[in-house]
Amino acid sequence: MDARVREHAETIADHSTGIGAGDDVVIQMPKEAEDLAVALHEVCGDRGANPIYLNYSKRAQRAFKRSSEEFSEPGHRRALYEEADVFVIARGGANATEDADVDPETNAAYNRAMEEVKRTRLSKTWCLTQYPTASHAQLAGMSTEAYENFVWDAVSLDWDEQREFQSNMVEILDDADEVRITSGEETELTLDVSGNSTLNDYGEANLPGGEVFTAPTRDGVNGEVHFDLPLYRYGREIGGVRLRFEDGKVVSHSAERNEDLLTGILDTDEGSHRLGELGIGMNRQIDRFTYNMLFDEKMGDTVHMAVGSAYPETVGEDNEINESAEHVDMIVDMSEDSVIEVDGEVVQRDGTFVFEDDF
């Protein structure tokens, strides 16, 4: 086993989740990530925790979705989640496009059925990470070895140093009322964030981390945004997304590629027509686009926004939480001809923050 796998497992246990004696730990990952699952079992044994391994298969999930006429909440799965203390989930299957032929309406129906189960999991301590596999290396346009280096370098960042750097942006956003984002000729968006909290993601729930994020108020988004970087969702690429918001709601949308999939996402439920998250990427160790949102949304010189559910921790007690069975992040490249303003003050220009020396 590569020594970096054990290091990855220890980072998850010690930094991301704090696995301790007596914790019931659910380890959910594909068979391609079995080395990481084995290392996590060793770490759990060292710490007196109790692991259970769920072998997640996109191929099996695809078969279930395509053969089912309707979906209901899996009570046995929810029962497991209710009893668990810690979840560790890794991406990294054999085929990154395995579920590309599942109908968007089917995906939406499945997600609606799983909504309460997902909320149960998110209420616990959890970590989502990536195991480097050949399929994701291919998606990123990299050799397997280069992709392994890329993933494990990103995972093994000095997270204390990253937290301190990102805290500068948290301080700016935490008491803010309005964020305005402009980029090129097609993005001019204002987001009301008054009363909401900003979180500092430094490798805990997401590993790698590298962003600060908050939620706009449900009715407080207005303007237009062009997400000029693509995303992979349900095994298909969605590219060139454009959304127009009025009073928080998407009133028109388009995509240059796979618009039907975007439409299916937005039509999942009422909450999927609104933004649940605004995130600012601040991890400059992630220096290339790889078609993997776990990494891409953390890149420096980017912002991302998610249609769908908001994280409850970001929503103030006097504001309404946007709830949805979906949470789909999309990215704007802010490296050129772009500005972030907070309450009328420029805090980032062309990817450089106001608290950096070369602003």
Side-chain angles (χ1 to χ4, degrees):
M1 182 186 298
D2 192 313
R4 294 174 296 180
V5 178
R6 173 74 185 202
E7 182 182 354
H8 191 170
E10 290 175 346
T11 300
I12 291 169
D14 295 334
H15 173 73
S16 301
T17 62
I19 292 173
D23 281 343
D24 292 329
V25 182
V26 176
I27 298 168
Q28 179 177 308
M29 51 193 66
K31 63 181 180 180
E32 290 78 13
E34 186 176 21
D35 277 357
L36 181 57
V38 170
L40 282 164
H41 277 71
E42 292 175 345
V43 170
C44 285
D46 292 342
R47 288 156 178 74
N50 307 307
I52 185 172
Y53 180 25
L54 303 183
N55 189 344
Y56 175 74
S57 166
K58 271 195 173 183
R59 184 181 175 198
Q61 188 182 64
R62 169 189 174 274
F64 174 63
K65 287 181 178 180
R66 285 172 58 88
S67 63
S68 297
E69 294 184 1
E70 60 183 49
F71 303 100
S72 59
E73 179 186 297
H76 58 314
R77 186 169 179 177
R78 185 174 180 182
L80 171 65
Y81 285 15
E82 287 173 343
E83 292 297 320
D85 298 305
V86 177
F87 289 86
V88 181
I89 303 170
R91 296 173 176 172
N95 182 357
T97 61
E98 183 65 59
D99 51 357
D101 55 359
V102 178
D103 185 83
E105 293 182 0
T106 300
N107 282 321
Y110 177 81
N111 287 337
R112 286 193 294 269
M114 291 293 295
E115 186 173 2
E116 290 302 319
V117 176
K118 179 182 176 183
R119 286 180 186 168
T120 300
R121 176 176 63 77
L122 291 175
S123 71
K124 304 301 180 77
T125 299
W126 58 276
C127 175
L128 171 64
T129 191
Q130 175 74 38
Y131 188 81
T133 59
S135 67
H136 281 82
Q138 186 175 34
L139 197 63
M142 303 170 70
S143 69
T144 303
E145 180 181 6
Y147 189 66
E148 288 174 347
N149 293 336
F150 171 78
V151 169
W152 282 320
D153 285 349
V155 165
S156 61
L157 204 63
D158 183 333
W159 293 114
D160 289 336
E161 182 180 339
Q162 188 69 26
R163 181 189 65 235
E164 289 302 313
F165 172 61
Q166 293 175 182
S167 67
N168 293 290
M169 196 64 207
V170 173
E171 186 176 347
I172 290 171
L173 281 175
D174 222 14
D175 294 324
D177 292 321
E178 183 182 88
V179 178
R180 182 170 180 263
I181 296 171
T182 57
S183 182
E185 298 180 354
E186 295 187 82
T187 294
E188 185 169 342
L189 196 70
T190 58
L191 303 96
D192 177 4
V193 296
S194 55
N196 286 344
S197 299
T198 304
L199 299 189
N200 190 343
D201 168 24
Y202 51 95
E204 294 184 306
N206 280 186
L207 184 66
E211 63 168 300
V212 301
F213 63 100
T214 187
T217 59
R218 287 190 83 247
D219 300 329
V221 183
N222 287 279
E224 299 183 1
V225 55
H226 173 212
F227 296 102
D228 47 1
L229 292 176
L231 68 145
Y232 250 77
R233 191 72 173 182
Y234 305 120
R236 296 163 65 189
E237 179 185 338
I238 307 175
V241 173
R242 292 171 172 82
L243 302 179
R244 185 164 66 86
F245 291 87
E246 292 181 4
D247 298 327
K249 190 171 184 178
V250 176
V251 294
S252 65
H253 70 275
S254 65
E256 295 168 9
R257 184 168 185 179
N258 288 320
E259 184 175 311
D260 65 318
L261 183 54
L262 174 64
T263 300
I265 290 168
L266 294 174
D267 288 346
T268 297
D269 48 39
E270 201 281 332
S272 60
H273 286 82
R274 299 177 184 273
L275 286 185
E277 180 189 359
L278 166 66
I280 300 175
M282 299 184 68
N283 187 341
R284 295 205 170 101
Q285 179 67 41
I286 302 172
D287 58 0
R288 61 181 295 165
F289 181 77
T290 61
Y291 284 100
N292 184 337
M293 193 59 69
L294 182 61
F295 290 77
D296 296 339
E297 69 175 4
K298 314 299 193 319
M299 286 192 299
D301 308 346
T302 66
V303 299
H304 59 276
M305 304 168 210
V307 293
S309 60
Y311 293 106
E313 300 88 342
T314 64
V315 180
E317 59 181 17
D318 294 329
N319 289 336
E320 183 180 359
I321 298 174
N322 192 56
E323 296 182 343
S324 173
E326 279 287 12
H327 181 95
V328 179
D329 295 289
M330 293 174 275
I331 302 173
V332 180
D333 181 355
M334 300 290 289
S335 61
E336 295 181 1
D337 194 20
S338 300
V339 170
I340 300 175
E341 296 174 64
V342 176
D343 293 336
E345 298 291 331
V346 175
V347 299
Q348 187 196 72
R349 179 178 287 110
D350 298 340
T352 302
F353 293 102
V354 66
F355 45 82
E356 294 185 289
D357 292 340
D358 52 350
F359 180 74

